[in-house]
Amino acid sequence: MDRGTAGAHWLMDVACRAGLREAGSLKLERGTPNADAWLVVASHCGLSMDDLAQEIADQLHLPVARLERRDPHVVKLVPEKLARRFHVVPLRESDRQIVIATDDPLNDEIERGIAFASGRMPLFEIASPHALDAELERVFALSAVAARGPACAAGPVSASGTAMSDDAVHLVARSNADNASEDGEDAPVIKLTNLILRNAAHERASDIHFEPVQGSGTVRFRVDGVMHVHMRMPLLALSRIVARIKVTSGLDIADHLRPQDGRSTISVDGANIDLRVSTVPTRDAEKCVIRLLRGSTNETLGDLKLTERDLRTLRSLIAHRNGVVVVTGPTGSGKTTTLYSMIRELNNGETNISTVEDPIEYELAGITQMQVETKRDFTFASALRAILRQDPDVILVGEIRDGETAAIAVQASMTGHLVLTTLHTNDAASAIARLVDIGVERPAISATMRGVVAQRLVRRACPHCAEKVRETNEDEQRLMRQYGVTPVVRTRGCPRCAQTGFQGRMAILEILVVTPALQELISRGATAPEIQKAAMAAGMRTLRASALQRVVDGETTLQEVERVVGETMEDGDKVVREELPRVLIVEDDAVCRKVARQQLITNGFDAAECATGEEALARLQIDDRIGLVVLDLGLPGMQGDELLAKLRQSPATASLPIIVLTGSADPDLEVRLMEEGADDYIRKPLEPRRFVTRVRAALRRAAA
């Protein structure tokens, strides 16, 4: 097709030949800019831009461009100036050809210019002007950062509106590989990375998330336990920043296919902050999460702003000269901070204290700290054996993850050592069942357990904008009916709390002290609800009750309690937390298993893992607590649909809820799986909140 009839725009001919509605009455002159012509035709004919692109492609026998599948390396073949002049995006290339997305496929000048610049024959695919504008910004934004400087570029995309200088940020590299000059191409990346780190430090963020999302990049901060978007950027810029962070953390920047962990340090305004870095591969690029550890704090239990009752109980627990004290809760609930505060309280110069951690989060003077190194076969269990030969009085075990570590910790407590450790359970009473599950004998638990501390963190109402509640609104009245407590303060939001209404967090505790009566219950095999009921009768205050006391004291709100504590069911005047069943994840992809398990644990579930169908069948035969199976279709050996059939044929698992995971987009697959007995169907990659919601829904349906 030529450029159109004399004096008319080529889009008029395309619209008429396609038979578009009202195309015959179009008036478009040849010189009309392409973007305007597309808009006029789409509006006149009642089409969206995507529909018009499809019509043009059909008439010209060209493909519609899939911009999200662009090869990032091909951009080097077409200079930015030329790409912007011709309004094209390079998509992919071979030895002789280059595929170009364009909104003007009949322009011979574009064909000649691209051929001359790239040395390849251009092949055109169709994209709308709007889509090309957006993609050009993604492709070449990093060049714009280099031209303008990151402080100028970061300002418009920063969610907080800040564009501060990075002069006060000093990143200390942990790798000799970081010898790159801060001049030239890498300078903007270094400055932008430093800017993000400084902003995170100033906003009191505990974590920074660098996330590839649908062809672009998002930077999110976790402040006081809640995530918010700080900045958006092109995917290429995000990848460069992640590479910079990997270099300074001593990670392998050439390895994009495996999870990696590293550490680094920054100095912000003269204060040192340790960075704990974790990267995982995703479909589009690597995701990086940085935890900021402010190691200069020297808090004891008295500095945590606990209630007098909780402070007194904790000090009585660590006054024991032997036994085990366990702190439980999901990731990010402050377990490590509480343990370190206990250690600092005990570190009086007269006590020999040793720790085994993975990783060491804070460096403590006067204390022997050991780092687990799994690659060197230095595990929690082997480290504990070594520690016992060092004549310690107090031992801190970062986390009990397996039966061997638990057995050695219990044995150490029996021989005159106080052991402090953590577990991932939903509440205090469930810690007993968890230890039994991993192989510790009930008599040993009964003899050595001194207490269990379940912990959560709730945000503290901002002292600058919180106001007294004089008349409750509809939402507060709903929560009053649910919790039976009248709110004292309401938050509004102000610049000092970044309009959140909250500033800082405080711990709410559920402290189970093991009395002789509870020792007897544990020995005879009592369930978690039975243990919790007996502990409450002995005076234990639940997490819910502790949180509501903070509401009564005017320190937080009912909305915050609902966010953190979640749903409970009442039993008379007492509150008993729902005991969630164990979820078995059957998935051969280790990264996917880890993500799914972490999301379930964070939301209060107990989760187990298997990599094959054969392992899953064996686990189901010996574990009667499994209440739901999350099953991947693409398993090695026994396939997922074969395992599904076996589970449905067995009387023991015929009614077991099963959620199937698959990366397939086949629309008929869901119907087939549901007919074969699956209770639900989720496509990968997992979206965390939706995944947990679907698990809860499947369990509710099974209970009904």
Side-chain angles (χ1 to χ4, degrees), residues 584-588 593 608 610-613 616 629-632 635 643:
L584 178 63
I585 305 164
V586 188
E587 165 67 73
D588 63 321
R593 278 204 316 271
C610 289
T612 66
V629 174
V630 176
L631 173 62
D632 181 36
L635 295 173
L643 177 58

Side-chain angles (χ1 to χ4, degrees), residues 384-452:
L384 267 175
R385 292 191 187 94
I387 283 177
L388 290 175
R389 294 191 289 270
Q390 297 289 312
D391 187 31
D393 299 305
V394 178
I395 302 171
L396 186 152
V397 182
E399 182 183 350
I400 290 181
R401 299 177 180 174
D402 53 64
E404 184 181 14
T405 304
I408 298 172
V410 168
Q411 182 182 2
S413 69
M414 289 179 172
T415 55
H417 307 89
L418 177 63
V419 178
L420 309 178
T421 188
T422 69
L423 276 175
H424 284 287
T425 63
N426 197 40
D427 55 24
S430 298
I432 309 299
R434 175 65 178 151
L435 289 172
V436 172
D437 288 342
I438 62 178
V440 184
E441 298 292 334
R442 284 184 174 273
I445 299 173
S446 172
T448 59
M449 186 66 68
R450 298 291 175 253
V452 183

Side-chain angles (χ1 to χ4, degrees), residues 476-687:
E476 289 166 341
Q477 291 170 7
R478 174 184 65 84
L479 294 171
M480 286 168 59
R481 291 191 295 270
Q482 180 177 342
Y483 292 104
V485 167
T486 301
V488 175
V489 297
R490 178 186 299 136
T491 59
R492 292 184 292 116
C494 67
R496 297 193 186 187
C497 61
Q499 304 301 327
T500 63
F502 299 92
Q503 194 172 65
R505 291 189 290 177
M506 54 192 170
I508 56 171
L509 306 180
E510 176 181 289
I511 307 176
L512 185 153
V513 178
V514 179
T515 62
L518 284 175
Q519 285 181 320
E520 184 179 350
L521 283 175
I522 294 170
S523 294
R524 68 175 178 82
T527 63
E530 291 173 334
I531 293 173
Q532 185 176 32
K533 189 173 183 179
M536 291 168 63
M540 183 187 78
R541 187 162 61 184
T542 63
L543 284 168
R544 180 180 188 259
S546 297
L548 293 178
Q549 184 60 52
R550 299 286 193 165
V551 174
V552 172
D553 294 339
E555 296 178 280
T556 192
T557 66
L558 284 175
Q559 288 86 349
E560 179 66 5
V561 170
E562 181 182 45
R563 183 186 73 85
V564 174
V565 176
E567 297 180 359
T568 56
M569 54 184 183
E570 297 197 7
D571 178 18
D573 295 328
K574 297 168 185 159
V575 178
V576 180
R577 179 171 301 280
E578 290 182 274
E579 186 180 20
L580 298 176
R582 176 174 295 156
V583 178
L584 178 63
I585 305 164
V586 188
E587 165 67 73
D588 63 321
D589 187 328
V591 174
C592 189
R593 278 204 316 271
K594 180 179 178 181
V595 170
R597 184 173 184 271
Q598 188 60 54
Q599 286 300 321
L600 291 170
I601 289 174
T602 300
N603 285 273
F605 290 90
D606 189 2
E609 303 176 33
C610 289
T612 66
E614 291 80 3
E615 290 178 16
L617 286 176
R619 180 64 183 258
L620 285 163
Q621 290 176 357
I622 62 173
D623 192 342
D624 58 3
R625 282 193 56 207
I626 294 173
L628 182 143
V629 174
V630 176
L631 173 62
D632 181 36
L633 275 187
L635 295 173
M638 182 190 298
Q639 291 292 298
D641 51 359
E642 184 182 354
L643 177 58
L644 174 63
K646 287 181 177 293
L647 295 178
R648 287 295 174 250
Q649 292 166 4
S650 170
T653 56
S655 60
L656 183 69
I658 300 174
I659 297 177
V660 174
L661 303 179
T662 179
S664 172
D666 182 2
D668 297 325
L669 181 61
E670 181 177 359
V671 175
R672 180 172 65 81
L673 289 171
M674 301 295 272
E675 290 176 346
E676 291 177 358
D679 295 273
D680 204 349
Y681 171 92
I682 302 177
R683 286 194 177 98
K684 295 190 290 187
L686 292 180
E687 199 268 302

Side-chain angles (χ1 to χ4, degrees), residues 158-172:
S158 172
S160 60
T162 58
M164 298 182 293
S165 167
D166 69 311
D167 294 342
V169 181
H170 177 59
L171 187 61
V172 181

